[in-house]
Amino acid sequence: MTQNIRLAALMSALLASTAFSAEPATTGMTPLEIRDTDGTRHLDGFVWYPTAADAPTEPAHGNAVWEPIRVAPNAAPSQGTYPLVVLSHGMFGNARNQAWLAERLVAEGYIVAAIDHPGTSTFQRDPDHQRALWERPKDISRTIDHLTGAHAMAGLIDPDRIYMAGHSLGGFTAVALAGGRFDAGTFDAFCTAMPDDLVCGIFDRWDVAKSPEDRRAIAQDLSDDRIKAFAVFDLGGTQTFSTDSLGVIETPMLVYGAPVTNSGLDLDVESRALVAALPADLTTYIEPAGLAHFDFLGVCTENGLAILKEEEPDDAFVCEEGREARRSEHAQIASDVAAFFDSH
């Protein structure tokens, strides 16, 4: 189902986007490294960008379970000025998780970047970084600082067309960057009343907002007004934000809810509640009937489901309906996201 879909604006944006994709392009890719000169929160990831159509390509970001995309490593970028999208992965995910979306957005004329969030990524689970969830939005702001400042791509990025998309805990990150303010007292009361809530349990195990210092740090204003629009993919963490702060967000938001319940998230607590609290005239909500939380990950290989059933049976559900149905969902999601960003 959809809510507040502005069809005319989206169609106009789709027509306008052809200006970016008129020339065939290949997906270039280069590693992204952002060093923390004041501490240990180093950021690593990737930048994907348009390059010449005849650039030699190779598979990337794939393995026995996940299909790769094709990239031209370190190819020279095509000249021009491009909008930027920064991606934020979910809990214990990584910068590769939405490479499928990056590839499609590059084809529409975007530069796309993603980083591993220290503490909550596949490869980095340090408890101190994990607890400091206020650093996640700052990771995205640091990435924008780097790409528009000292990075070789800086001259190709349109500073007036910067966007952000986040999945799951990345959706929580997006809402904080839009201006949502963590409300520790309200969240404590919610968790007392709903002790089995998934986010309450995770944040409790991670010791989130337990000390007075942490409660002050996570409640600060983490918004970044350089970001002109957001896409939020089946977030977890709506119940941590004050309703008042959500109601005065001034940045357009495209929110996806996934009604297939295999993640433990409750849509009535999460995406639907977020949309109810956000300004209606700036919010677009999409809830496709067959969409599952993990459909925002990549397409599974032909043998992916069987491999997971054999080697990681508890995780096998992430590849259920994970091939052609997911590929079709990806095409629609990418189209929606590009149209939404193009219209803002």
Side-chain angles (χ1 to χ4, degrees), residues 183-198:
D183 186 334
T186 298
F187 184 52
D188 288 346
F190 174 87
C191 292
T192 298
M194 303 285 289
D196 295 329
D197 177 76
L198 179 66

Side-chain angles (χ1 to χ4, degrees), residues 165-188:
H167 173 230
S168 194
L169 191 58
F172 164 91
T173 306
V175 174
L177 284 160
R181 301 289 290 270
F182 193 101
D183 186 334
T186 298
F187 184 52
D188 288 346

Side-chain angles (χ1 to χ4, degrees), residues 236-256:
T238 297
Q239 61 278 57
T240 69
F241 296 106
S242 76
T243 303
D244 287 346
S245 70
L246 297 178
V248 295
I249 284 176
E250 298 180 345
T251 309
M253 301 191 76
L254 171 65
V255 181
Y256 262 88

